[in-house]
Amino acid sequence: MNAPAKVEEFVPATIPAGVFAETVTKVTHYTDRLFSFRMTRPAEFRFRSGEFAMIGLMVDGKPIYRAYSIASPAWDDELEFFSIKVQDGPLTSHLQSIQPGDQVLMRKKPTGTLVLDALTPGKRLYMFSTGTGIAPFASLIRDPETYEKFEEVILTHTTRDVAELKYGFDLIEEIRNHEFLAELVGDKLRHYATVTREDYPFKGRITNLMRDGKFFADLGLPAFDPAIDRGMICGSTEMLKETKEILEAAGLTEGANNKPGEFVIERAFVG
């Protein structure tokens, strides 16, 4: 007769202490490079829209984590993330294969600089993103507080190909059809999407479009004014550097959680 199995043999003993283990509820593949997924949210997990969390998987018996912006707003019952697929990436090579029902690890403390508290009061908020850098803004454009603090919100998203813009367009469509966000947002939110490698009505790197004035002409807006304009930046290393230079040349100063300013940068994903 076999001895009765011990309870702990059925418990995932590999889950590290102080870490949430959550269940994937939905996975959406946009291109061969981009996908998003949603997972359960721990009842006690609190974050500010725009922050990121360390999420991971058990790989060969060891946890591997990377910083991921939380794409869902702070009021959402679930957590959403938007990721690139890196075939030889230590985490993403595995993460891109997750399915509903799978388990994802998440450390318990969120953080980040792309939060409204890090900006001084203003009237117009620019969100500059490239690639998956749109993720923290996916959270912020679905947060009512954003529209309480700003009269106009401009989301920019630059990708290589048109297909990579779909996540952003889906977000805008979701807001337009949402039961309470649609009325709250109204015409305050504007979406400026550009691509760099294909023909498209708005083509080019966002920094070049700002420098040559086409960006402002397309939107029918004046150049940056530090008295009313605020900025948030998330994307590639070069884009962060150039956008920071453009904003500073216009008189805006960089802020942080402990010292709010006219613009903020998320550097957690650079390097």
Side-chain angles (χ1 to χ4, degrees):
M1 181 177 176
N2 294 330
K6 295 180 180 179
V7 174
E8 57 261 34
E9 290 177 4
F10 298 105
V11 177
T14 53
I15 302 302
V19 172
F20 294 118
E22 298 304 312
T23 302
V24 176
T25 60
K26 181 180 181 182
V27 181
T28 303
H29 293 274
Y30 290 91
T31 69
D32 58 0
R33 296 182 65 248
L34 301 170
F35 73 106
S36 70
F37 66 95
R38 292 178 68 85
M39 68 184 195
T40 55
R41 175 179 177 173
E44 66 269 37
F45 183 69
R46 297 288 181 269
F47 69 97
R48 294 177 295 173
S49 294
E51 289 188 315
F52 66 86
M54 300 299 294
I55 65 171
L57 296 172
M58 297 299 299
V59 178
D60 297 328
K62 297 180 180 179
I64 295 180
Y65 298 96
R66 292 292 184 270
Y68 272 78
S69 289
I70 304 169
S72 46
W75 53 261
D76 202 324
D77 292 335
E78 292 187 331
L79 297 173
E80 178 184 326
F81 298 92
F82 184 43
S83 177
I84 193 169
K85 302 176 185 180
V86 181
Q87 299 310 317
D88 58 351
L91 176 62
T92 54
S93 61
H94 302 279
L95 193 65
Q96 64 186 296
S97 299
I98 58 173
Q99 300 289 333
D102 289 346
Q103 197 173 67
V104 173
L105 306 179
M106 182 176 69
R107 291 181 180 165
K108 294 188 174 182
K109 185 175 175 55
T111 188
T113 55
L114 295 182
V115 292
L116 298 174
D117 293 342
L119 294 173
T120 54
K123 292 184 178 180
R124 185 183 296 119
L125 175 59
Y126 288 94
M127 299 173 173
F128 300 104
S129 69
T130 56
T132 55
I134 193 176
F137 304 139
S139 176
L140 284 158
I141 64 172
R142 289 182 282 183
D143 191 324
E145 185 183 0
T146 302
Y147 304 97
E148 293 168 4
K149 291 192 170 184
F150 293 94
E151 298 173 8
E152 189 172 15
V153 178
I154 297 165
L155 170 67
T156 84
H157 188 207
T158 301
T159 62
R160 299 188 304 183
D161 307 313
V162 175
E164 296 178 343
L165 294 173
K166 181 170 172 51
Y167 180 76
F169 281 110
D170 284 353
L171 281 171
I172 301 300
E173 184 69 13
E174 175 190 330
I175 291 171
R176 301 295 185 219
N177 294 303
H178 196 274
E179 57 182 344
F180 73 81
L181 283 178
E183 184 176 353
L184 175 70
V185 174
D187 59 0
K188 285 187 172 184
L189 176 62
R190 302 179 69 181
H191 180 206
Y192 187 81
T194 74
V195 297
T196 58
R197 296 188 179 182
E198 293 184 321
D199 286 334
Y200 193 66
F202 303 101
K203 183 177 181 180
R205 298 173 69 230
I206 190 65
T207 47
N208 290 341
L209 294 170
M210 285 191 281
R211 286 194 183 100
D212 66 18
K214 188 176 187 304
F215 172 69
F216 302 103
D218 287 340
L219 291 169
L221 293 173
F224 296 125
D225 180 351
I228 62 171
D229 291 329
R230 301 294 175 262
M232 291 179 157
I233 316 169
C234 190
S236 66
T237 305
E238 191 61 27
M239 187 275 261
L240 298 186
K241 177 177 177 291
E242 291 186 28
T243 306
K244 171 183 164 73
E245 291 173 351
I246 291 170
L247 293 181
E248 288 183 335
L252 283 72
T253 57
E254 184 175 356
N257 277 292
N258 60 353
K259 188 181 179 183
E262 283 84 57
F263 73 91
V264 287
I265 300 173
E266 184 56 79
R267 295 185 172 87
F269 315 103
V270 175

